[in-house]
Amino acid sequence: MVSSTHGKDLRRLALSVLQPGFVGTDAPDWVLRDIGDGLASVVLFARNIVSIDQVARLTARLRAENPELVIAIDEEAGDVTRIESATGSTRPGNFALGTVDDTDLTEAVAADLGRQLRAAGISLDYAPSADVNSNPDNPIIGVRSFGVDPKVVSRHTGAWIRGLQSAGVAACAKHFPGHGDVAVDSHHGLPTYGADREQIAAQALPPFRAALDAGVRAVMTGHLLVPAYDTELPATLSRRILDGLLRQELGFDGMVVTDAIEMGAVADRYGIGGATVRAVAAGADAVCVGGENAEEATAGLLADALVDAVASGDLTEARLAEASGRVREFAAWSAGLSPAGPADTNGSRIGFAAARRAIRLTGAVQDTVPLSAAPHVVELVPTTNLAIGKETPWGVAAPLLERLPGTTSVRVRHEDLRSHTATLKTHALTPAAGRPLVVVVRDASRHEWMARALAEIVAARPDAIVVEMGLPGAPVPAAAQIFTHGATAASGVAAAEVLAGVR
């Protein structure tokens, strides 16, 4: 029988390894109470953010309960943004930075982000993505990666970490051991990375080695099956991968945090409680939860699951205590990080400058831009993965209207084309008669319907200008193509500047 005192100690240990989210822009009573009972971390999402000042007040209230509380955010400063989810990121994402391939620029952009996060009271950023996007059909990584070349991804992963941490915010390399060569979104199913160990060592692991060399103290696991190391358990739940590969082979001794434990790849098989127990038993030190399940009951369920697992023998108290100790060590280390210099009053100017440098053009550009008149803009809109906030705006039409009054636009989705066969003629081609036509796409090569629609528009209007805001695919027979290498607000502005010929 477990004594009440021991039971309280176990629950404190269990709470200390959780990194839950919550709803609202103020600290809920249950979160404050749990911090008092041992909760050592929380994670913020877009739903918690209105402004930097508001977040600073929120984080100050949370830290009043524990000055070393780890306050995390999933902010990639690209298509995946929380701090600027309402407006779109004023910095380009990883793929744009990798395209420019200037590590000093990458470090400067990350430091700029770090200063903003530091001012908001955030101590841990679940970034950068150290994944090598070697599979062009990858539905979850794409432009979140620095590129397809392990060497490029490695040097920019290191630069990004150095930049962020120079501003006093801890980085977290993800998604170990590499989520770039899969074709399934782990929010919904279990992806498999089928390479052998030699291929993995050459393709996926170099950026994580670079992250360790750059001083990263947190690594996030990926929910993917890697049969070369474990034929049964996803990496998040695999001791062979977390302990054998990450700790023993790569020599990492920092904090291992899971990707969101409610994601389908693990929760559909084991439940979020079962997945949490298995992850900690395998070597994870902190469990991220709350992107979708952000209630008090969820944190209670996971804490209970860990306590019950110790009682049943499915999890040793020593492993739980070890995980808790690593979280405390990380908390103390991250609380001691300090900015290397004063905040840059120019702020996100570096982001817009970087986005401009990432623009690439093909075709008869000199004959088509700047535009001679206000255009009609057709934006073909895909369904994005769950990592990208549905509320986050993207595109070229809005910034182009600011620069060329009279610009008109329409957004077309797959369902629009399925329900109305004349959609493209009615909404795309007819309004563009006698005017320039700009077609904006996002990963057209990954969406068959979008590629078909684009081909139909360009066949009717070969003078159209195509703006690709995702991964560049095969060239299309348009008058010109503009590649932004990401769909951030900064990237949209950069493309609009090219089209309008003005900043």
Side-chain angles (χ1 to χ4, degrees), residues 327-377:
V327 172
R328 288 196 307 272
E329 288 172 6
F330 177 86
W333 172 79
S334 61
L337 283 174
S338 59
D344 183 355
T345 55
N346 288 333
S348 59
R349 288 185 190 176
I350 185 68
F352 286 101
R356 293 182 191 109
R357 289 183 61 185
I359 293 286
R360 299 291 184 271
L361 301 96
T362 63
V365 177
Q366 67 277 5
D367 299 328
T368 53
V369 294
L371 297 173
S372 57
H376 183 56
V377 180

Side-chain angles (χ1 to χ4, degrees), residues 118-163:
R118 174 83 182 193
I122 291 161
S123 57
L124 169 62
D125 187 7
Y126 295 148
S129 166
D131 308 295
V132 180
N133 197 65
S134 46
N135 185 343
D137 292 326
N138 193 320
I140 187 63
I141 302 300
V143 295
R144 299 168 66 192
S145 167
F146 287 110
V148 301
D149 183 341
K151 292 180 180 177
V152 172
V153 177
S154 295
R155 58 178 173 259
H156 288 278
T157 294
W160 209 95
I161 290 166
R162 289 191 298 273

Side-chain angles (χ1 to χ4, degrees), residues 90 95 111 156 165 187 219 242 272 301 351-352 411 429 469:
T90 52
F95 198 76
H156 288 278
Q165 295 190 166
H187 288 91
V219 170
L242 300 190
I272 61 173
L301 183 156
F352 286 101
R411 302 203 113 192
L429 296 172
M469 301 194 77

Side-chain angles (χ1 to χ4, degrees), residues 278-332:
R278 287 172 178 264
V280 175
D285 305 307
V287 177
C288 173
V289 65
E292 298 170 68
N293 299 67
E295 306 80 19
E296 177 182 3
T298 299
L301 183 156
L302 299 192
D304 289 345
L306 290 166
V307 170
D308 291 346
V310 172
S312 68
D314 290 335
L315 174 66
T316 67
E317 185 174 346
R319 169 78 273 268
L320 183 59
E322 178 187 46
S324 179
R326 283 218 182 88
V327 172
R328 288 196 307 272
E329 288 172 6
F330 177 86

Side-chain angles (χ1 to χ4, degrees), residues 413-423:
R413 294 168 174 80
H414 190 194
E415 53 266 32
D416 299 326
L417 299 179
R418 283 193 300 234
S419 56
H420 302 286
T421 56
T423 292

Side-chain angles (χ1 to χ4, degrees), residues 41 65 158 253 306 452 487:
S41 313
E65 303 297 319
D253 62 356
L306 290 166
R452 285 199 308 268

